[in-house]
Amino acid sequence: MEDSLTPSSPGLRPRGPIVLLLGVALAALIGLIELGVLEFTWERLGIGHRTFGALLLVSLLGSAINVPLTAVGEPPERTVVAVNLGGAVVPTLLGLYLLFEHRLFVQGAIAIAVVAAVSYRLARPVPGVGIAVPIFLPPLTAAATALALAPDAAPALAYPAGSIGTLLGADLAHLPRIRELRSPLVSIGGAGTFDGVFVTGIIAVLLA
């Protein structure tokens, strides 16, 4: 069970092998895009293929950047709460854009709630590490929910559902349990959560 989980917070950057794997997947995706194999997908996503690829790249590189927001507790048990640029800020902005661009307000709310509920149930605090959550289950839940709610706009719905839903259910909903983590830094959208959010982006493209 432990092997299928990765730490999602405490400011830890995604682990080397996972970063390498995600980088290879992104490179392959961009290659297919440039070859025109996936050209038709961008009409369904509503965003230029180079723009979307660039945003995924920014998300991957931005996973190393945590922006401090506040601090909880007193030294030596003080915990800094930060937001991850690549795992929270970029995906949230892109997800909201897709929802508004395709006017998926009701479907978006439902899909995000479903993924958030699943992520909340699957996530668990690991003292000294962070919030652990399976990498693939939230994105796959987002894909299935998007196909059920909006089959004609599934890619545009799957991305915000998987990214925002995972952030809400796995990270934000567990913030009240920060003290249990006993970590100096908790990053919203960091590490394991980032992995799931990034995979969501790739699955959204493949759905198209």
Side-chain angles (χ1 to χ4, degrees):
M1 186 70 174
E2 287 295 339
D3 292 338
S4 65
L5 301 172
T6 52
S8 81
S9 77
L12 297 176
R13 300 176 184 179
R15 297 174 299 177
I18 293 179
V19 171
L20 179 60
L21 179 61
L22 295 178
V24 170
L26 177 58
L29 184 64
I30 292 177
L32 291 174
I33 290 170
E34 293 303 322
L35 289 173
V37 176
L38 299 177
E39 187 67 30
F40 66 97
T41 66
W42 313 110
E43 294 180 2
R44 300 186 68 187
L45 275 174
I47 188 171
H49 68 276
R50 284 197 172 92
T51 300
F52 190 80
L55 287 173
L56 286 180
L57 180 59
V58 169
S59 181
L60 182 62
L61 297 177
S63 65
I65 301 175
N66 292 307
V67 181
L69 297 178
T70 186
V72 178
E74 299 294 335
E77 298 181 0
R78 189 166 179 261
T79 298
V80 174
V81 179
V83 60
N84 188 270
L85 178 62
V89 178
V90 174
T92 297
L93 293 178
L94 177 55
L96 291 176
Y97 169 80
L98 291 174
L99 288 179
F100 279 90
E101 177 70 13
H102 293 268
R103 299 185 179 279
L104 296 168
F105 307 118
V106 175
Q107 299 96 320
I110 295 173
I112 288 172
V114 169
V115 176
V118 171
S119 298
Y120 180 80
R121 291 283 296 178
L122 293 174
R124 57 173 179 157
V126 179
V129 177
I131 303 299
V133 61
I135 296 175
F136 293 103
L137 288 181
L140 291 177
T141 300
T145 305
L147 286 170
L149 294 176
D152 292 334
L157 180 57
Y159 186 86
S163 57
I164 299 175
T166 301
L167 289 171
L168 291 176
D171 276 352
L172 292 179
H174 286 88
L175 281 181
R177 306 179 70 178
I178 282 179
R179 295 184 184 278
E180 297 179 27
L181 301 177
R182 298 194 296 275
S183 173
L185 176 64
V186 171
S187 177
I188 299 170
T193 299
F194 167 81
D195 302 335
V197 168
F198 192 83
V199 170
T200 296
I202 295 177
I203 286 180
V205 173
L206 296 179
L207 274 179

